[in-house]
Amino acid sequence: LATAGISEADIFAGRVTVEWRSFMKGQIARARAYFQQAEQGAAELNQESRWPQVWASLLLYRQILDEIEANGYDNFSKRAYVPKAKKLAALPKAYLRSLMPPPSSQRRR
């Protein structure tokens, strides 16, 4: 935080400054990179381990990042959450993703 120019006082006061937004953009980019790695790893699991819940979690947590952005990076006074309708809409996609064979097995064909 100090490197980003954010003080403890800024955090405790819940200040959404230019520095905070820049910091959060970087953290969200980093989280998305980790989600991408997790998705690649989950895709390589055997079918029995590729549960729809794994894919649903990946999809929903990514959507939380989108909500943080939509809230102007104000996660001090605004809760970033995925509405129930969006959660339900993600379930069929997660289920279908869990049924797809790993990319490595598709390359071998």
Side-chain angles (χ1 to χ4, degrees):
L1 293 173
T3 303
I6 301 167
S7 69
E8 281 186 24
D10 292 331
I11 298 294
F12 289 121
R15 292 188 193 108
V16 182
T17 61
V18 171
E19 292 82 9
W20 178 255
R21 285 186 179 93
S22 177
F23 173 76
M24 287 302 296
K25 286 177 186 178
Q27 295 305 309
I28 287 173
R30 191 172 80 155
R32 284 191 173 124
Y34 285 129
F35 283 137
Q36 181 65 34
Q37 288 177 357
E39 187 174 308
Q40 290 169 358
E44 291 296 327
L45 295 172
N46 65 41
Q47 178 113 22
E48 295 78 31
S49 299
R50 257 183 286 131
W51 299 341
Q53 295 92 331
V54 171
W55 287 105
S57 296
L58 285 168
L59 294 171
L60 294 174
Y61 284 118
R62 280 184 169 169
Q63 289 179 6
I64 291 173
L65 298 178
D66 297 340
E67 294 298 322
I68 293 170
E69 290 174 325
N71 288 342
Y73 304 97
D74 182 2
N75 50 345
F76 294 112
S77 65
K78 296 178 183 176
R79 183 172 173 251
Y81 69 97
V82 178
K84 189 177 281 188
K86 278 188 173 181
K87 286 179 185 177
L88 291 173
L91 293 178
K93 183 178 180 182
Y95 178 72
L96 291 173
R97 292 292 299 267
S98 73
L99 297 176
M100 293 173 62
S104 61
S105 69
Q106 291 173 351
R107 286 190 290 267
R108 288 185 279 227
R109 292 182 183 177

